[in-house]
Amino acid sequence: MSMTRRKLLNLGGRTALGLSLVGFARQGATAADAETFAVTHSDAEWRKLLTAGQYDILRREGTEPPFSSPLNHEKRDGIFSCAGCALPLFSSTTKFDSGTGWPSFWRPLENAVGESRDNSFMMARTEVHCRQCGGHLGHVFDDGPKPTGLRYCMNGVALNFTQA
Ligand SMILES: [Zn+2]
């Protein structure tokens, strides 16, 4: 009897934990999932279209190692567009050196990105994704320079640069 009860409790506990872990892991993507995107592909198609690195960032909300992107040092005039769907996202005129090791901008182009709450890793952050394909780009913080005071901290591997 008590064995049975303990077994049930254990099962219950395991189920509850499993559910909460799933909820925890997916929290960051919830808002983006509710949006509809003009460019959509199946997971298998994305895997074919993107490099392994791009897929990990754009489709799995990964984060590239700091100082790993050549775009950190990109200072020419031009446009940074989504590596997933080629939508122009940022202008070089809003790029600045944040010292963080990730390409940083103080403002995206108009209608270029969407945002969602991201509570992963026990931090309340604002996730930034491409408005057209939903690809994860990075996060936005409120410690940026003037005029917006925002810092769009982007994964360079999620962006392609085109010189003006
Ligand atoms: Zn995109």
Side-chain angles (χ1 to χ4, degrees):
M1 182 65 186
S2 75
M3 279 281 283
T4 308
R5 197 146 89 212
R6 184 175 296 155
K7 209 171 165 186
L8 281 173
L9 283 172
N10 282 344
L11 272 173
R14 208 157 39 227
T15 306
L17 182 64
L19 283 175
S20 73
L21 281 175
V22 168
F24 180 75
R26 289 193 56 76
Q27 238 165 356
T30 306
D33 285 350
E35 282 181 61
T36 53
F37 300 104
V39 172
T40 57
H41 296 289
S42 70
D43 191 59
E45 286 169 343
W46 279 122
R47 280 184 189 276
K48 272 184 230 161
L49 289 166
L50 304 171
T51 66
Q54 288 170 338
Y55 177 85
D56 181 53
I57 305 296
L58 287 163
R59 308 316 306 180
R60 286 288 170 266
E61 298 200 27
T63 301
E64 70 189 12
F67 303 101
S68 64
S69 172
L71 294 186
N72 273 308
H73 313 292
E74 183 55 70
K75 290 187 166 61
R76 295 173 292 176
D77 288 344
I79 294 292
F80 297 83
S81 40
C82 177
C85 72
L87 180 72
L89 301 174
F90 295 94
S91 163
S92 59
T93 57
T94 62
K95 192 174 190 286
F96 69 99
D97 185 1
S98 63
T100 59
W102 290 283
S104 301
F105 306 84
W106 48 261
R107 185 170 61 203
L109 295 171
E110 208 154 320
N111 279 325
V113 305
E115 296 178 359
S116 70
R117 291 300 288 171
D118 178 0
N119 296 315
S120 62
F121 303 107
M122 307 305 246
M123 289 182 283
R125 296 181 295 171
T126 303
E127 184 271 349
V128 177
H129 55 267
C130 171
R131 179 85 87 185
Q132 185 165 257
C133 73
H136 171 70
L137 303 170
H139 292 83
V140 58
F141 303 92
D142 59 6
D143 57 4
K146 289 177 180 178
T148 60
L150 297 173
R151 171 171 60 93
Y152 284 83
C153 186
M154 300 292 102
N155 289 286
V157 75
L159 304 172
N160 283 328
F161 176 73
T162 309
Q163 193 176 0

